[in-house]
Amino acid sequence: IILLLDKLLLLIVVKIYRGIKKMKKNNFKIVELKPKKVKSAIRRTVFIKNFIIQEIIGFHQHEKIKKQKIKFNIILNINQNSIPDEKDIKSIVDYEKITKKIENLTKSKKYNFLESLAEDSFKEIFDDKRINSVTIKIEKPEAIKNTKSVGVEVYKTRKDYEGT
């Protein structure tokens, strides 16, 4: 009886398997999953490296007497659809224009903190709508003895800046 039951059970399993196999072939659609399309792999970056100015900056009284070095490193991620036109400087993000804006900031306002200077720098930089994100690193190389420099680094996207 046990041998007969084993054969019957095996026959049932085989029929179920064949039925499922037929059902899979006839009744199911094959769905192909495609990865999301990436808009573009192009990444356009403008950088300003080791831009140094001399200005009075700092909270402490001794920092308000003598100008000191302020070093900027800025990375600008640009809209990849911005195509340069060799005949038009307005077709690019002009790094010289950005350095002039930063110089003007430090000449027109006395800052206690590098963080405040960074925030005002974002305002000037994000005036150019082609700029998607900015990393600003500002250092004071001579502020503290036994250090190469001290400073602040801030990253913002246009969404961060505009508050959206």
Side-chain angles (χ1 to χ4, degrees), residues 51-65:
F51 172 60
I52 297 175
I53 59 174
Q54 296 263 349
E55 282 301 328
I56 291 177
I57 187 165
F59 182 77
H60 301 291
Q61 199 58 43
H62 69 273
E63 294 178 298
K64 297 180 184 297
I65 299 168

Side-chain angles (χ1 to χ4, degrees), residues 76-80 126 128-134 155-159:
L76 311 166
N77 290 309
I78 310 301
N79 182 327
Q80 76 270 6
F126 277 121
D128 190 327
K129 301 298 181 198
R130 296 170 294 185
I131 298 173
N132 294 329
S133 66
V134 179
Y155 169 82
K156 282 190 183 188
T157 65
R158 179 164 292 283
K159 286 181 182 179

Side-chain angles (χ1 to χ4, degrees), residues 9-156:
L9 186 58
L10 182 62
L11 185 63
I12 291 170
V13 170
V14 169
K15 284 194 176 219
I16 290 172
Y17 174 77
R18 286 183 182 156
I20 290 172
K21 197 173 175 184
K22 262 188 184 175
M23 192 168 62
K24 281 185 179 177
K25 277 186 178 176
N26 299 329
N27 296 331
F28 289 101
K29 290 183 182 178
I30 296 173
V31 177
E32 187 179 344
L33 298 176
K34 294 181 181 178
K36 286 184 178 180
K37 288 185 179 180
V38 177
K39 290 182 183 177
S40 176
I42 297 171
R43 190 169 190 133
R44 195 175 306 279
T45 303
V46 172
F47 65 90
I48 300 166
K49 189 173 182 179
N50 297 329
F51 172 60
I52 297 175
I53 59 174
Q54 296 263 349
E55 282 301 328
I56 291 177
I57 187 165
F59 182 77
H60 301 291
Q61 199 58 43
H62 69 273
E63 294 178 298
K64 297 180 184 297
I65 299 168
K66 182 182 169 192
K67 290 182 179 183
Q68 60 182 305
K69 284 184 184 178
I70 307 167
K71 182 167 72 170
F72 293 82
N73 282 286
I74 303 170
I75 299 171
L76 311 166
N77 290 309
I78 310 301
N79 182 327
Q80 76 270 6
N81 296 324
S82 299
I83 305 297
D85 176 355
E86 283 294 309
K87 297 176 183 170
D88 185 8
I89 195 164
K90 291 179 182 176
S91 70
I92 62 161
V93 172
D94 185 354
Y95 37 80
E96 184 178 20
K97 187 177 180 180
I98 291 170
T99 59
K100 295 262 187 240
K101 285 182 173 188
I102 290 171
E103 271 184 307
N104 290 337
L105 277 176
T106 59
K107 287 185 187 318
S108 65
K109 182 178 177 181
K110 298 302 173 209
Y111 291 93
N112 286 331
F113 306 114
L114 295 177
E115 291 83 350
S116 304
L117 176 55
E119 289 304 314
D120 285 354
S121 298
F122 281 117
K123 290 176 190 172
E124 294 296 328
I125 292 168
F126 277 121
D127 273 349
D128 190 327
K129 301 298 181 198
R130 296 170 294 185
I131 298 173
N132 294 329
S133 66
V134 179
T135 301
I136 298 176
K137 182 177 181 180
I138 308 173
E139 299 172 79
K140 296 195 303 184
E142 300 166 343
I144 299 188
K145 290 180 183 179
N146 300 324
T147 66
K148 188 173 181 179
S149 70
V150 294
V152 63
E153 183 172 334
V154 184
Y155 169 82
K156 282 190 183 188

